[in-house]
């Protein structure tokens, strides 16, 4: 019987978490820091450490969406075997021998818009194509780099969905 009661309470709690709305007001600012360690299983590759800081400012919020200005203010990717390393705080500790690091460099300290639904789910990012064009032009990168960066950045920004959903669960 106590298992049934625990199960029902669990269902009610999860239902309340899903129904929770974000309550952000225009002008509010906040930052979110992430840290992730990837450890490959059954591989000789070394663990990868990632740490990011995102700064947000609420632009507008209504019943259908919430628009935030988002800026990646800090990025650190560290792999022990020096395959690639990026430290936005120290150029001397950065090794740019991997084109995947362009994703973070394009976004670093460049504001763009993030749109969330009322429940805090990441819907889309706006202004990314302009950032890619600006970076590829000023860095004299080839056109194929511009083409694959859109997908790379969309994949990278999908982590925003987990950030906001985890905030709702914690609150």
């Amino acid at each position: 019987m106590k298992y049934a009661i625990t199960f029902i309470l669990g269902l009610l709690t999860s239902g309340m978490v899903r129904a929770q709305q974000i309550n952000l007001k225009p002008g509010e600012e906040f930052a979110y820091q992430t840290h992730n360690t990837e450890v490959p299983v059954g591989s000789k590759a070394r663990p990868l450490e990632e740490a990011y800081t995102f700064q947000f400012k609420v632009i507008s919020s209504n019943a259908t969406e919430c628009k935030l200005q988002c800026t990646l203010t800090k990025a650190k990717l560290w792999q022990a075997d020096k395959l690639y390393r990026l430290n936005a705080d120290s150029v001397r500790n950065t090794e740019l021998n991997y084109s995947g690091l362009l994703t973070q460099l394009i976004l670093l300290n460049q504001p763009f818009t993030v749109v969330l639904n009322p429940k805090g789910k990441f819907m889309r990012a706006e202004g990314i194509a302009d950032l890619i064009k600006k970076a590829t032009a000023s860095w004299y990168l080839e056109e194929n780099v511009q083409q694959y960066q859109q997908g790379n950045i969309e994949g990278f920004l999908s982590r925003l969905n987990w950030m906001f959903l985890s905030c709702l669960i914690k609150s």
Side-chain angles (χ1 to χ4, degrees):
M1 181 67 176
K2 68 179 172 182
Y3 293 114
I5 293 172
T6 305
F7 179 72
I8 292 170
L9 287 174
L11 285 176
L12 290 173
T13 304
S14 66
M16 291 184 329
V17 167
R18 285 189 204 171
Q20 190 172 6
Q21 302 281 323
I22 58 173
N23 189 18
L24 298 172
K25 298 186 181 22
E28 288 183 338
E29 294 185 33
F30 59 96
Y32 199 94
Q33 295 178 334
T34 67
H35 184 265
N36 184 39
T37 303
E38 288 183 20
V39 180
V41 177
S43 172
K44 294 181 181 182
R46 303 276 193 247
L48 169 67
E49 300 276 335
E50 294 181 307
Y52 301 105
T53 302
F54 292 90
Q55 182 71 36
F56 295 96
K57 181 176 182 179
V58 181
I59 299 170
S60 66
S61 183
N62 57 41
T64 59
E65 64 184 23
C66 181
K67 285 191 174 188
L68 307 169
Q69 178 184 324
C70 177
T71 307
L72 176 63
T73 59
K74 185 173 185 172
K76 183 176 181 182
L77 284 88
W78 207 259
Q79 192 164 22
D81 61 4
K82 294 187 178 183
L83 175 62
Y84 51 88
R85 292 181 176 192
L86 171 66
N87 186 344
D89 291 337
S90 174
V91 175
R92 293 175 191 214
N93 291 326
T94 296
E95 296 184 29
L96 297 175
N97 54 353
Y98 173 61
S99 63
L101 298 177
L102 291 174
T103 300
Q104 290 81 0
L105 291 174
I106 288 171
L107 296 176
L108 193 62
N109 295 318
Q110 300 295 320
F112 56 94
T113 303
V114 170
V115 181
L116 306 175
N117 74 7
K119 302 225 188 270
K121 184 172 181 355
F122 174 73
M123 293 171 47
R124 66 184 179 279
E126 299 172 349
I128 297 298
D130 294 334
L131 293 179
I132 294 170
K133 286 179 188 174
K134 180 180 164 187
T136 54
S138 63
W139 298 341
Y140 301 102
L141 298 174
E142 295 180 12
E143 190 174 319
N144 67 338
V145 174
Q146 181 176 347
Q147 293 171 354
Y148 73 75
Q149 280 305 315
Q150 183 71 35
N152 285 358
I153 290 176
E154 287 173 5
F156 176 74
L157 293 178
S158 68
R159 72 185 62 228
L160 295 176
N161 200 30
W162 292 107
M163 279 194 260
F164 286 102
L165 290 177
S166 68
C167 284
L168 289 173
I169 291 169
K170 289 177 187 175
S171 62

Short mmCIF file of all heavy atoms in Angstrom, two decimals, residues 81-131:
data_model
loop_
_atom_site.label_atom_id
_atom_site.label_comp_id
_atom_site.label_asym_id
_atom_site.label_seq_id
_atom_site.Cartn_x
_atom_site.Cartn_y
_atom_site.Cartn_z
N ASP A 81 44.77 14.93 -23.58
CA ASP A 81 45.82 14.59 -24.54
C ASP A 81 46.09 15.71 -25.54
O ASP A 81 46.77 15.50 -26.54
CB ASP A 81 45.48 13.29 -25.26
CG ASP A 81 44.19 13.37 -26.06
OD1 ASP A 81 43.59 14.46 -26.13
OD2 ASP A 81 43.79 12.34 -26.62
N LYS A 82 45.60 16.90 -25.26
CA LYS A 82 45.85 18.10 -26.06
C LYS A 82 45.33 18.00 -27.49
O LYS A 82 45.82 18.69 -28.37
CB LYS A 82 47.33 18.46 -26.08
CG LYS A 82 47.88 18.86 -24.75
CD LYS A 82 49.30 19.36 -24.90
CE LYS A 82 49.84 19.82 -23.56
NZ LYS A 82 51.17 20.36 -23.66
N LEU A 83 44.36 17.11 -27.72
CA LEU A 83 43.76 17.07 -29.04
C LEU A 83 43.16 18.44 -29.35
O LEU A 83 43.32 18.98 -30.42
CB LEU A 83 42.69 15.98 -29.13
CG LEU A 83 41.91 15.91 -30.43
CD1 LEU A 83 42.85 15.60 -31.59
CD2 LEU A 83 40.81 14.88 -30.35
N TYR A 84 42.47 18.97 -28.36
CA TYR A 84 42.02 20.36 -28.49
C TYR A 84 41.81 20.96 -27.11
O TYR A 84 41.45 20.27 -26.16
CB TYR A 84 40.76 20.51 -29.34
CG TYR A 84 39.61 19.61 -28.99
CD1 TYR A 84 38.67 19.99 -28.05
CD2 TYR A 84 39.45 18.40 -29.63
CE1 TYR A 84 37.60 19.17 -27.74
CE2 TYR A 84 38.37 17.58 -29.34
CZ TYR A 84 37.47 17.97 -28.40
OH TYR A 84 36.41 17.16 -28.10
N ARG A 85 42.07 22.24 -27.04
CA ARG A 85 41.89 23.00 -25.80
C ARG A 85 41.45 24.41 -26.16
O ARG A 85 42.01 25.04 -27.04
CB ARG A 85 43.21 23.08 -25.02
CG ARG A 85 43.66 21.77 -24.47
CD ARG A 85 44.92 21.90 -23.70
NE ARG A 85 45.26 20.61 -23.12
CZ ARG A 85 46.17 20.42 -22.21
NH1 ARG A 85 46.86 21.44 -21.76
NH2 ARG A 85 46.42 19.22 -21.74
N LEU A 86 40.45 24.86 -25.46
CA LEU A 86 39.99 26.23 -25.62
C LEU A 86 39.78 26.79 -24.23
O LEU A 86 39.07 26.20 -23.42
CB LEU A 86 38.68 26.28 -26.40
CG LEU A 86 37.97 27.64 -26.45
CD1 LEU A 86 38.81 28.65 -27.23
CD2 LEU A 86 36.60 27.52 -27.06
N ASN A 87 40.41 27.91 -23.97
CA ASN A 87 40.22 28.61 -22.71
C ASN A 87 40.02 30.07 -23.04
O ASN A 87 40.97 30.76 -23.40
CB ASN A 87 41.43 28.41 -21.79
CG ASN A 87 41.21 29.00 -20.41
OD1 ASN A 87 40.30 29.81 -20.21
ND2 ASN A 87 42.02 28.61 -19.47
N ALA A 88 38.79 30.54 -22.96
CA ALA A 88 38.47 31.92 -23.34
C ALA A 88 39.16 32.94 -22.44
O ALA A 88 39.26 34.10 -22.80
CB ALA A 88 36.95 32.13 -23.31
N ASP A 89 39.63 32.51 -21.27
CA ASP A 89 40.32 33.42 -20.37
C ASP A 89 41.82 33.48 -20.60
O ASP A 89 42.50 34.34 -20.05
CB ASP A 89 40.07 33.00 -18.91
CG ASP A 89 38.63 33.22 -18.48
OD1 ASP A 89 37.95 34.05 -19.11
OD2 ASP A 89 38.19 32.56 -17.54
N SER A 90 42.36 32.56 -21.38
CA SER A 90 43.81 32.50 -21.56
C SER A 90 44.16 32.00 -22.96
O SER A 90 44.06 30.81 -23.23
CB SER A 90 44.44 31.59 -20.51
OG SER A 90 45.82 31.43 -20.76
N VAL A 91 44.60 32.90 -23.81
CA VAL A 91 44.99 32.53 -25.16
C VAL A 91 46.19 31.60 -25.13
O VAL A 91 46.33 30.70 -25.95
CB VAL A 91 45.30 33.79 -26.00
CG1 VAL A 91 45.83 33.43 -27.38
CG2 VAL A 91 44.06 34.64 -26.13
N ARG A 92 47.06 31.77 -24.15
CA ARG A 92 48.26 30.93 -24.06
C ARG A 92 47.94 29.48 -23.74
O ARG A 92 48.73 28.59 -24.00
CB ARG A 92 49.20 31.49 -23.00
CG ARG A 92 49.75 32.82 -23.42
CD ARG A 92 50.58 33.44 -22.36
NE ARG A 92 50.85 34.81 -22.76
CZ ARG A 92 51.95 35.44 -22.49
NH1 ARG A 92 52.89 34.87 -21.79
NH2 ARG A 92 52.11 36.68 -22.88
N ASN A 93 46.80 29.22 -23.16
CA ASN A 93 46.39 27.86 -22.85
C ASN A 93 45.37 27.32 -23.84
O ASN A 93 44.59 26.44 -23.52
CB ASN A 93 45.80 27.79 -21.43
CG ASN A 93 46.85 28.01 -20.39
OD1 ASN A 93 48.00 27.63 -20.55
ND2 ASN A 93 46.47 28.65 -19.30
N THR A 94 45.38 27.86 -25.04
CA THR A 94 44.43 27.46 -26.07
C THR A 94 45.18 26.83 -27.24
O THR A 94 46.22 27.32 -27.65
CB THR A 94 43.63 28.68 -26.56
OG1 THR A 94 42.86 29.17 -25.47
CG2 THR A 94 42.70 28.33 -27.70
N GLU A 95 44.66 25.72 -27.73
CA GLU A 95 45.23 25.07 -28.91
C GLU A 95 44.11 24.89 -29.92
O GLU A 95 43.19 24.10 -29.71
CB GLU A 95 45.84 23.73 -28.51
CG GLU A 95 47.01 23.91 -27.56
CD GLU A 95 47.70 22.62 -27.22
OE1 GLU A 95 47.68 21.69 -28.05
OE2 GLU A 95 48.26 22.55 -26.12
N LEU A 96 44.16 25.65 -30.99
CA LEU A 96 43.10 25.66 -31.99
C LEU A 96 43.45 24.74 -33.16
O LEU A 96 43.69 25.18 -34.26
CB LEU A 96 42.85 27.08 -32.49
CG LEU A 96 42.36 28.06 -31.44
CD1 LEU A 96 42.27 29.46 -32.02
CD2 LEU A 96 41.03 27.63 -30.89
N ASN A 97 43.49 23.46 -32.91
CA ASN A 97 43.77 22.51 -33.98
C ASN A 97 42.56 21.63 -34.28
O ASN A 97 42.70 20.51 -34.73
CB ASN A 97 44.99 21.66 -33.61
CG ASN A 97 44.84 20.96 -32.28
OD1 ASN A 97 43.88 21.21 -31.56
ND2 ASN A 97 45.78 20.11 -31.95
N TYR A 98 41.38 22.17 -34.02
CA TYR A 98 40.15 21.42 -34.23
C TYR A 98 39.06 22.42 -34.64
O TYR A 98 38.78 23.38 -33.92
CB TYR A 98 39.78 20.70 -32.94
CG TYR A 98 38.45 20.01 -32.92
CD1 TYR A 98 38.16 18.99 -33.81
CD2 TYR A 98 37.48 20.36 -31.99
CE1 TYR A 98 36.94 18.35 -33.78
CE2 TYR A 98 36.25 19.73 -31.96
CZ TYR A 98 36.00 18.72 -32.86
OH TYR A 98 34.79 18.09 -32.83
N SER A 99 38.47 22.22 -35.81
CA SER A 99 37.50 23.20 -36.33
C SER A 99 36.21 23.25 -35.52
O SER A 99 35.46 24.21 -35.60
CB SER A 99 37.18 22.91 -37.79
OG SER A 99 36.56 21.66 -37.92
N GLY A 100 35.95 22.22 -34.71
CA GLY A 100 34.75 22.23 -33.86
C GLY A 100 34.78 23.34 -32.83
O GLY A 100 33.74 23.74 -32.32
N LEU A 101 35.95 23.87 -32.51
CA LEU A 101 36.05 24.96 -31.54
C LEU A 101 35.56 26.29 -32.11
O LEU A 101 35.30 27.23 -31.36
CB LEU A 101 37.50 25.12 -31.07
CG LEU A 101 38.08 23.92 -30.33
CD1 LEU A 101 39.54 24.16 -29.99
CD2 LEU A 101 37.29 23.60 -29.09
N LEU A 102 35.41 26.36 -33.42
CA LEU A 102 34.89 27.59 -34.03
C LEU A 102 33.48 27.91 -33.52
O LEU A 102 33.11 29.08 -33.42
CB LEU A 102 34.88 27.48 -35.55
CG LEU A 102 36.24 27.45 -36.23
CD1 LEU A 102 36.07 27.20 -37.72
CD2 LEU A 102 36.99 28.74 -35.98
N THR A 103 32.71 26.89 -33.20
CA THR A 103 31.35 27.08 -32.69
C THR A 103 31.36 28.00 -31.48
O THR A 103 30.64 29.00 -31.43
CB THR A 103 30.73 25.72 -32.31
OG1 THR A 103 30.71 24.90 -33.48
CG2 THR A 103 29.35 25.87 -31.76
N GLN A 104 32.19 27.69 -30.49
CA GLN A 104 32.25 28.50 -29.28
C GLN A 104 32.87 29.86 -29.56
O GLN A 104 32.44 30.87 -29.00
CB GLN A 104 33.06 27.77 -28.19
CG GLN A 104 32.35 26.56 -27.63
CD GLN A 104 32.48 25.32 -28.49
OE1 GLN A 104 33.11 25.31 -29.55
NE2 GLN A 104 31.87 24.24 -28.05
N LEU A 105 33.88 29.91 -30.44
CA LEU A 105 34.52 31.20 -30.74
C LEU A 105 33.58 32.15 -31.47
O LEU A 105 33.61 33.36 -31.24
CB LEU A 105 35.79 30.98 -31.56
CG LEU A 105 36.93 30.31 -30.80
CD1 LEU A 105 38.08 30.01 -31.75
CD2 LEU A 105 37.39 31.19 -29.65
N ILE A 106 32.72 31.62 -32.33
CA ILE A 106 31.75 32.46 -33.04
C ILE A 106 30.77 33.09 -32.05
O ILE A 106 30.40 34.25 -32.16
CB ILE A 106 31.01 31.66 -34.13
CG1 ILE A 106 31.96 31.37 -35.29
CG2 ILE A 106 29.76 32.38 -34.61
CD1 ILE A 106 31.40 30.39 -36.33
N LEU A 107 30.36 32.32 -31.05
CA LEU A 107 29.36 32.80 -30.08
C LEU A 107 29.95 33.63 -28.95
O LEU A 107 29.24 34.41 -28.32
CB LEU A 107 28.61 31.61 -29.47
CG LEU A 107 27.77 30.77 -30.42
CD1 LEU A 107 27.18 29.58 -29.69
CD2 LEU A 107 26.68 31.61 -31.07
N LEU A 108 31.23 33.48 -28.70
CA LEU A 108 31.86 34.10 -27.54
C LEU A 108 31.70 35.63 -27.55
O LEU A 108 32.12 36.30 -28.49
CB LEU A 108 33.34 33.72 -27.48
CG LEU A 108 34.07 34.03 -26.19
CD1 LEU A 108 33.46 33.27 -25.02
CD2 LEU A 108 35.54 33.69 -26.34
N ASN A 109 31.06 36.15 -26.52
CA ASN A 109 30.83 37.59 -26.31
C ASN A 109 30.05 38.27 -27.44
O ASN A 109 30.15 39.47 -27.63
CB ASN A 109 32.15 38.32 -26.06
CG ASN A 109 32.78 37.87 -24.76
OD1 ASN A 109 32.10 37.70 -23.76
ND2 ASN A 109 34.08 37.65 -24.79
N GLN A 110 29.26 37.49 -28.17
CA GLN A 110 28.41 38.02 -29.23
C GLN A 110 26.95 37.77 -28.86
O GLN A 110 26.52 36.62 -28.81
CB GLN A 110 28.73 37.34 -30.58
CG GLN A 110 30.14 37.52 -31.05
CD GLN A 110 30.46 38.97 -31.36
OE1 GLN A 110 29.65 39.70 -31.92
NE2 GLN A 110 31.66 39.39 -30.99
N PRO A 111 26.18 38.81 -28.59
CA PRO A 111 24.78 38.59 -28.19
C PRO A 111 23.91 38.08 -29.34
O PRO A 111 24.08 38.46 -30.49
CB PRO A 111 24.32 39.98 -27.73
CG PRO A 111 25.23 40.93 -28.40
CD PRO A 111 26.53 40.22 -28.63
N PHE A 112 23.00 37.19 -28.99
CA PHE A 112 21.99 36.68 -29.91
C PHE A 112 20.72 36.47 -29.10
O PHE A 112 20.71 36.63 -27.88
CB PHE A 112 22.46 35.39 -30.61
CG PHE A 112 22.85 34.28 -29.67
CD1 PHE A 112 21.94 33.32 -29.31
CD2 PHE A 112 24.13 34.22 -29.16
CE1 PHE A 112 22.29 32.30 -28.43
CE2 PHE A 112 24.50 33.21 -28.29
CZ PHE A 112 23.58 32.25 -27.92
N THR A 113 19.63 36.15 -29.76
CA THR A 113 18.34 36.02 -29.09
C THR A 113 17.94 34.56 -28.95
O THR A 113 18.07 33.79 -29.90
CB THR A 113 17.24 36.78 -29.87
OG1 THR A 113 17.64 38.15 -30.00
CG2 THR A 113 15.90 36.73 -29.16
N VAL A 114 17.48 34.21 -27.77
CA VAL A 114 16.97 32.87 -27.47
C VAL A 114 15.48 33.00 -27.19
O VAL A 114 15.07 33.89 -26.46
CB VAL A 114 17.70 32.28 -26.24
CG1 VAL A 114 17.03 31.01 -25.78
CG2 VAL A 114 19.16 32.04 -26.56
N VAL A 115 14.69 32.12 -27.78
CA VAL A 115 13.24 32.14 -27.58
C VAL A 115 12.84 30.86 -26.85
O VAL A 115 13.16 29.75 -27.29
CB VAL A 115 12.49 32.27 -28.92
CG1 VAL A 115 10.99 32.31 -28.69
CG2 VAL A 115 12.96 33.50 -29.68
N LEU A 116 12.12 31.04 -25.73
CA LEU A 116 11.62 29.92 -24.93
C LEU A 116 10.11 29.92 -24.98
O LEU A 116 9.48 30.98 -25.13
CB LEU A 116 12.05 30.07 -23.47
CG LEU A 116 13.53 30.25 -23.17
CD1 LEU A 116 13.72 30.51 -21.68
CD2 LEU A 116 14.32 29.06 -23.62
N ASN A 117 9.50 28.74 -24.84
CA ASN A 117 8.05 28.71 -24.70
C ASN A 117 7.69 29.01 -23.24
O ASN A 117 8.59 29.11 -22.40
CB ASN A 117 7.47 27.38 -25.22
CG ASN A 117 7.72 26.21 -24.30
OD1 ASN A 117 8.22 26.33 -23.18
ND2 ASN A 117 7.37 25.02 -24.78
N PRO A 118 6.42 29.15 -22.90
CA PRO A 118 6.04 29.50 -21.52
C PRO A 118 6.48 28.49 -20.46
O PRO A 118 6.58 28.83 -19.29
CB PRO A 118 4.51 29.59 -21.58
CG PRO A 118 4.18 29.88 -23.00
CD PRO A 118 5.25 29.17 -23.80
N LYS A 119 6.76 27.27 -20.86
CA LYS A 119 7.21 26.25 -19.90
C LYS A 119 8.72 26.21 -19.77
O LYS A 119 9.27 25.38 -19.05
CB LYS A 119 6.68 24.90 -20.32
CG LYS A 119 5.17 24.87 -20.41
CD LYS A 119 4.64 23.64 -19.75
CE LYS A 119 3.16 23.48 -20.00
NZ LYS A 119 2.32 24.09 -19.05
N GLY A 120 9.44 27.08 -20.51
CA GLY A 120 10.89 27.14 -20.41
C GLY A 120 11.63 26.27 -21.39
O GLY A 120 12.83 26.11 -21.31
N LYS A 121 10.91 25.71 -22.38
CA LYS A 121 11.57 24.86 -23.38
C LYS A 121 12.19 25.75 -24.46
O LYS A 121 11.56 26.65 -24.99
CB LYS A 121 10.56 23.90 -23.99
CG LYS A 121 11.17 22.91 -24.97
CD LYS A 121 10.13 21.90 -25.37
CE LYS A 121 10.53 20.84 -26.31
NZ LYS A 121 11.74 20.74 -26.92
N PHE A 122 13.44 25.46 -24.78
CA PHE A 122 14.16 26.17 -25.83
C PHE A 122 13.47 25.92 -27.16
O PHE A 122 13.30 24.77 -27.57
CB PHE A 122 15.61 25.70 -25.86
CG PHE A 122 16.42 26.25 -26.99
CD1 PHE A 122 16.83 27.56 -26.98
CD2 PHE A 122 16.77 25.45 -28.06
CE1 PHE A 122 17.58 28.08 -28.03
CE2 PHE A 122 17.53 25.94 -29.10
CZ PHE A 122 17.94 27.26 -29.08
N MET A 123 13.04 27.00 -27.84
CA MET A 123 12.37 26.85 -29.12
C MET A 123 13.31 27.14 -30.29
O MET A 123 13.36 26.38 -31.24
CB MET A 123 11.14 27.76 -29.18
CG MET A 123 10.05 27.34 -28.21
SD MET A 123 8.68 28.49 -28.00
CE MET A 123 8.22 28.95 -29.62
N ARG A 124 14.02 28.27 -30.22
CA ARG A 124 14.91 28.63 -31.32
C ARG A 124 15.88 29.73 -30.86
O ARG A 124 15.67 30.37 -29.84
CB ARG A 124 14.12 29.09 -32.54
CG ARG A 124 13.36 30.39 -32.33
CD ARG A 124 12.50 30.76 -33.54
NE ARG A 124 11.78 31.99 -33.30
CZ ARG A 124 10.66 32.11 -32.61
NH1 ARG A 124 10.10 31.04 -32.07
NH2 ARG A 124 10.08 33.28 -32.45
N ALA A 125 16.89 29.92 -31.68
CA ALA A 125 17.83 31.02 -31.48
C ALA A 125 17.75 31.90 -32.72
O ALA A 125 17.63 31.39 -33.84
CB ALA A 125 19.24 30.49 -31.29
N GLU A 126 17.81 33.19 -32.52
CA GLU A 126 17.73 34.14 -33.63
C GLU A 126 19.03 34.94 -33.70
O GLU A 126 19.62 35.26 -32.68
CB GLU A 126 16.54 35.09 -33.42
CG GLU A 126 15.20 34.37 -33.38
CD GLU A 126 14.04 35.27 -32.99
OE1 GLU A 126 14.27 36.42 -32.54
OE2 GLU A 126 12.89 34.82 -33.12
N GLY A 127 19.44 35.26 -34.91
CA GLY A 127 20.64 36.07 -35.10
C GLY A 127 21.91 35.25 -35.27
O GLY A 127 23.00 35.82 -35.41
N ILE A 128 21.79 33.95 -35.28
CA ILE A 128 22.96 33.08 -35.38
C ILE A 128 23.58 33.17 -36.78
O ILE A 128 24.81 33.24 -36.92
CB ILE A 128 22.59 31.61 -35.06
CG1 ILE A 128 22.11 31.50 -33.61
CG2 ILE A 128 23.76 30.68 -35.34
CD1 ILE A 128 23.13 31.88 -32.58
N ALA A 129 22.76 33.18 -37.82
CA ALA A 129 23.29 33.24 -39.19
C ALA A 129 24.14 34.49 -39.39
O ALA A 129 25.19 34.44 -40.04
CB ALA A 129 22.13 33.21 -40.20
N ASP A 130 23.72 35.61 -38.81
CA ASP A 130 24.50 36.85 -38.92
C ASP A 130 25.84 36.74 -38.21
O ASP A 130 26.86 37.22 -38.71
CB ASP A 130 23.71 38.04 -38.35
CG ASP A 130 22.46 38.35 -39.15
OD1 ASP A 130 22.44 38.04 -40.36
OD2 ASP A 130 21.51 38.91 -38.57
N LEU A 131 25.86 36.08 -37.05
CA LEU A 131 27.11 35.88 -36.33
C LEU A 131 28.07 35.00 -37.14
O LEU A 131 29.28 35.27 -37.18
CB LEU A 131 26.86 35.25 -34.96
CG LEU A 131 26.12 36.08 -33.93
CD1 LEU A 131 25.94 35.29 -32.63
CD2 LEU A 131 26.85 37.38 -33.64
#
